[in-house]
Amino acid sequence: MAVDYDTLSKTILALTEGEDDIVALMATVVCELHHSDARFDWTGFYRVVGPELLKIGPYQGGHGCLKIPFSRGVCGAAARTGQAQLVADVEAFPDHIACASSTRSELVLPVWGPADQLIAVLDIDSDQPDAFTPEDQHQLTAILHQVFGG
Ligand code: SME
């Protein structure tokens, strides 16, 4: 079942309308994202908690590592560069952090706040190789912008 981004976006915006609590927003976004597409085997936020440090936020799927420095992993690369990381093969990504040995591909997106500050990254892992597309990146980035205001 491939995600219907128009419906997903409308659902998330309806569920989060008027809400400004970041935990409530993140929990709602990952819940809807995770259950929208069979490719998404782990869906979660890593929050910026210090100058160069990410810590886990709301997520769906197996346990994720609790903290990631900006210097490490796909999440750190997204935080460090401010650029989306669309990874077709995690084995080919230097210093990929494997929270699950089943992960084959990954999409990590920076999350910007209303002052265009980096507040988190959204990490989606798939057990399918090369699971993510530029369209996923575009559509998910648009949803994050609408919800978090960056
Ligand atoms: N794979 C990520 C780490 C987070 S776990 O996958 C949930 C990374 O390399 O940054």
Side-chain angles (χ1 to χ4, degrees):
M1 169 194 85
V3 53
D4 171 353
Y5 279 115
D6 186 50
T7 300
L8 177 63
S9 174
K10 289 188 171 97
T11 300
I12 288 174
L13 292 180
L15 290 170
T16 59
E17 186 178 8
E19 184 54 65
D20 63 2
D21 179 84
I22 194 75
V23 175
L25 292 172
M26 288 181 167
T28 304
V29 168
V30 291
C31 175
E32 294 304 312
L33 285 187
H34 190 70
H35 297 290
S36 70
D37 194 308
R39 293 173 296 161
F40 303 171
D41 292 299
W42 194 95
T43 311
F45 286 97
Y46 280 89
R47 298 162 297 120
V48 177
V49 297
E52 299 284 320
L53 184 61
L54 297 166
K55 281 197 177 178
I56 202 162
Y59 68 93
Q60 302 257 332
H63 70 271
C65 54
L66 298 186
K67 52 187 173 183
I68 301 174
F70 280 29
S71 58
R72 295 213 51 217
V74 185
C75 292
R80 188 168 67 241
T81 65
Q83 299 295 313
Q85 304 292 313
L86 203 163
V87 181
D89 174 7
V90 295
E91 298 294 324
F93 191 93
D95 195 28
H96 166 255
I97 301 169
C99 293
S101 58
S102 59
T103 300
R104 292 291 172 271
S105 58
E106 189 161 355
L107 174 64
V108 182
L109 302 174
V111 182
W112 305 100
D116 287 332
Q117 77 281 24
L118 185 73
I119 60 173
V121 297
L122 172 67
D123 179 15
I124 308 179
D125 297 339
S126 182
D127 294 347
Q128 301 171 35
D130 198 11
F132 303 105
T133 67
E135 179 66 7
D136 292 313
Q137 176 183 328
H138 173 74
Q139 294 285 355
L140 291 169
T141 297
I143 291 171
L144 292 171
H145 175 75
Q146 289 174 306
V147 174
F148 298 98

